[in-house]
Amino acid sequence: MRPEEHALLVVDVLDTFDHADGDVIMRRFADRVAFMEHALARARRRGWRVVYVNDRHGAERREQLLQRVLDGRGGHLVARLVPQDGDAVVLKSSYSGFDDTDLAWVLREMGIRRVAVMGAVTEMCVAETAADAVAAGWPAVVLRGASVPLASTQEQDALAALAREGVTVAADPEERRATA
């Protein structure tokens, strides 16, 4: 399979952290941001397509969303992960990136045959998006180290459930290098 047939789905990393779980998620986000940054860089080096799938946070356009999150409490963290020219951004209103969005169309138009998924929150939006990718016919892998959990015990349960549904769960083999 050619590199351009792979996509990295970057789920909900563009966060304002201005919600009920914002403090917890921002702390856990800070713990894993180096892994997420590393996974993004590696996907780009390999020639993979990068598709951001993100909650709207009240925005209707990519530019509005970026401004809100960069000006928000965790803007210094999010700034390390913002989309680059050529990256697609799909705005969503529910947990899965496939619910009521054009994500499936975007992936088909790009000729994507396999996806990797990372982001926040592992046991919610990451899990739902990965499970729906497999259900729609895209083999999927969740990058555990580059995904942010709300609760570690729930993360473990969600990853086990994903494995039963046919989603590959992988620790980033280069996680240790991201912090070295």
Side-chain angles (χ1 to χ4, degrees):
M1 194 174 309
R2 298 179 316 202
E4 64 272 11
E5 294 175 330
H6 290 78
L8 177 61
L9 303 182
V10 183
V11 178
D12 288 342
V13 301
L14 306 175
D15 197 340
T16 61
F17 303 104
D18 186 24
H19 45 82
D21 296 318
D23 290 336
V24 173
I25 294 171
M26 191 165 75
R27 280 193 308 273
R28 292 175 189 252
F29 196 99
D31 290 342
R32 294 198 181 177
V33 70
F35 303 137
M36 292 186 286
E37 191 173 34
H38 179 73
L40 267 168
R42 191 176 60 201
R44 289 184 172 116
R45 275 194 316 272
R46 290 179 173 176
W48 292 14
R49 304 298 302 265
V50 177
V51 180
Y52 286 74
V53 183
N54 215 90
D55 285 340
R56 292 180 175 282
H57 295 289
E60 291 301 317
R61 295 183 333 272
R62 170 186 178 149
E63 296 76 22
Q64 281 181 308
L65 175 63
L66 287 173
Q67 193 61 54
R68 282 192 182 147
V69 300
L70 292 174
D71 289 344
R73 294 185 317 137
H76 64 290
L77 296 169
V78 174
R80 297 170 63 177
L81 305 170
V82 295
Q84 294 182 356
D85 290 342
D87 293 344
V89 177
V90 174
L91 299 180
K92 65 183 184 68
S93 299
S94 64
Y95 287 137
S96 174
F98 288 92
D99 287 346
D100 263 341
T101 71
D102 60 356
L103 179 58
W105 179 84
V106 168
L107 295 176
R108 282 193 300 273
E109 285 296 305
M110 289 179 168
I112 300 302
R113 297 181 53 200
R114 182 176 303 271
V115 298
V117 185
M118 62 171 262
V121 164
T122 309
E123 60 270 32
M124 295 176 194
C125 299
V126 170
E128 293 288 327
T129 299
D132 285 353
V134 168
W138 283 282
V141 58
V142 169
L143 303 178
R144 182 193 51 78
S147 295
V148 178
L150 183 59
S152 57
T153 55
Q154 291 175 346
E155 178 185 43
Q156 293 168 1
D157 292 345
L159 294 174
L162 284 172
R164 289 190 297 273
E165 292 180 36
V167 175
T168 302
V169 176
D172 183 340
E174 297 182 28
E175 275 179 18
R176 290 190 184 109
R177 290 187 203 167
T179 58

